[in-house]
Amino acid sequence: MSKLIDHQDLLILKNISHIYNQDLQKIKVLKNVNIRVSKGEIISLIGPSGTGKSTLLNIAGLLEKPTLGTIIFSGHDCTKLSEDNKTRLRGSEIGFIFQSHRLFQEFSAIENVMLPQLIMGRSKSEASKKSKDLLTVLGLKHRLEFRPAKLSGGEAQRVAIARALANSPSLILADEPTGNLDAIAAYNVFEILYKLVKSLDISCIFATHNNDLAKLMDRKIVLKKGSVYNDKSYK
Ligand code: ADP
Ligand code: MG
């Protein structure tokens, strides 16, 4: 699939409800959630643990199909896409960053950043160059050949940021990416991600429990018991 057309609203989540069926029990996680994400906007997603933040990010990232509702990405209705097209869209347009870095331990930093590019069909030399450039911007030029076990927590998360940006996505979904870091490393990781998404005009939803970081973002979405309190006054 070629790059999608430019659109003011990059992502629209319309009337999203989600129920998990767990051991004959129905867990209602999201209740009629409506969210619009503009191009280039960075939004904090906050709310207590267990309130559905990860579920919402997985749905926004087309990893989980919502029980009800529609996902519009760059004007395309994703609920109508085949699994193959969803996977392709995810690979080219969406980058994920998680609480733990989820890097492959047996690969070096540069190889971890190359992998998603090779999967999307980029040549090895192109992938290597792009990875090196990204890791350099992220201050890791001296860590290219290091495996994750030899990196600090903050460094590993910066490799994970590089990996998320490797295929030049238009949306980054970050699920408590600073949750395992001390305050200084958390701020540094946030700051570099913020600068990158702003300079590249990427949209970002950033789940966090850190109110100091949430205040630095364009807008705040508060999720409580599966519903959004999407009031501008929360900023
Ligand atoms: P948060 O990220 O805000 O902590 P989650 O989206 O992870 O919240 O979880 C919301 C609720 O859904 C929790 O009660 C959790 O136990 C439940 N849940 C999450 N994933 C699953 C799953 N795959 N199957 C069943 N229940 C789940
Ligand atoms: Mg979570």
Side-chain angles (χ1 to χ4, degrees), residues 107 110-128 131 166-167:
F107 291 127
I110 190 165
E111 286 168 339
N112 268 285
V113 183
M114 285 171 70
L115 262 175
Q117 300 174 68
L118 300 176
I119 290 168
M120 291 305 285
R122 201 170 269 169
S123 73
K124 215 171 158 184
S125 62
E126 274 179 317
S128 170
S131 304
N167 286 324

Side-chain angles (χ1 to χ4, degrees), residues 53-54 175-176:
K53 300 183 297 298
S54 296
D175 195 354
E176 300 191 39

Side-chain angles (χ1 to χ4, degrees), residues 133-175:
D133 290 349
L134 274 171
L135 288 166
T136 301
V137 170
L138 283 150
L140 294 169
K141 196 177 176 187
H142 57 314
R143 295 284 185 266
L144 298 181
E145 304 301 336
F146 280 51
R147 290 192 182 188
K150 299 270 169 70
L151 298 171
S152 72
E155 287 171 340
Q157 274 310 48
R158 281 187 275 147
V159 177
I161 292 173
R163 178 184 55 185
L165 293 169
N167 286 324
S168 309
S170 44
L171 175 67
I172 293 279
L173 298 172
D175 195 354

Side-chain angles (χ1 to χ4, degrees), residues 96 103 119 222 226:
F96 293 90
L103 298 172
I119 290 168
V222 182

Side-chain angles (χ1 to χ4, degrees), residues 3-234:
K3 280 277 166 189
L4 296 163
I5 49 159
D6 206 347
H7 204 273
Q8 184 60 31
D9 279 323
L10 178 73
L11 175 72
I12 305 172
L13 300 178
K14 258 193 208 167
N15 305 327
I16 299 288
S17 294
H18 197 63
I19 297 171
Y20 286 115
N21 292 306
Q22 180 75 22
D23 306 328
L24 302 176
Q25 208 191 338
K26 285 192 187 300
I27 307 174
K28 279 191 188 178
V29 182
L30 298 174
K31 296 162 196 160
N32 202 33
V33 167
N34 287 284
I35 292 173
R36 278 173 186 268
V37 181
S38 301
K39 203 163 178 290
E41 174 177 52
I42 180 162
I43 302 172
S44 66
L45 175 62
I46 64 163
S49 289
T51 201
K53 300 183 297 298
S54 296
T55 304
L56 184 61
L57 292 177
N58 289 341
I59 287 172
L62 312 177
L63 290 170
E64 183 100 47
K65 194 177 181 315
T67 309
L68 285 173
T70 312
I71 301 152
I72 312 280
F73 195 97
S74 277
H76 296 256
D77 182 349
C78 297
T79 24
K80 293 192 177 130
L81 290 179
S82 67
E83 283 306 316
D84 275 358
N85 279 339
K86 245 191 257 182
T87 302
R88 222 165 296 148
L89 176 71
R90 200 186 303 122
S92 65
E93 299 290 336
I94 306 175
F96 293 90
I97 310 167
F98 303 96
Q99 182 164 358
S100 62
H101 54 69
R102 299 200 192 178
L103 298 172
F104 288 113
Q105 294 292 350
E106 61 275 40
F107 291 127
S108 64
I110 190 165
E111 286 168 339
N112 268 285
V113 183
M114 285 171 70
L115 262 175
Q117 300 174 68
L118 300 176
I119 290 168
M120 291 305 285
R122 201 170 269 169
S123 73
K124 215 171 158 184
S125 62
E126 274 179 317
S128 170
K129 181 175 183 320
K130 172 98 183 185
S131 304
K132 207 171 175 177
D133 290 349
L134 274 171
L135 288 166
T136 301
V137 170
L138 283 150
L140 294 169
K141 196 177 176 187
H142 57 314
R143 295 284 185 266
L144 298 181
E145 304 301 336
F146 280 51
R147 290 192 182 188
K150 299 270 169 70
L151 298 171
S152 72
E155 287 171 340
Q157 274 310 48
R158 281 187 275 147
V159 177
I161 292 173
R163 178 184 55 185
L165 293 169
N167 286 324
S168 309
S170 44
L171 175 67
I172 293 279
L173 298 172
D175 195 354
E176 300 191 39
T178 61
N180 288 348
L181 303 176
D182 65 59
I184 292 171
Y187 180 76
N188 289 338
V189 162
F190 169 76
E191 187 187 33
I192 198 143
L193 177 64
Y194 184 90
K195 281 187 181 157
L196 279 167
V197 300
K198 285 293 174 190
S199 68
L200 298 167
D201 205 23
I202 297 172
S203 310
C204 178
I205 310 180
F206 189 111
T208 183
H209 289 287
N210 185 328
N211 274 313
D212 293 334
L213 296 186
K215 278 184 203 146
L216 300 172
M217 300 187 221
D218 298 333
R219 187 154 66 88
K220 190 190 272 192
I221 290 175
V222 182
L223 197 63
K224 276 186 194 162
K225 295 184 181 167
S227 296
V228 166
Y229 291 73
N230 200 13
D231 188 326
K232 289 248 161 43
S233 63
Y234 271 95

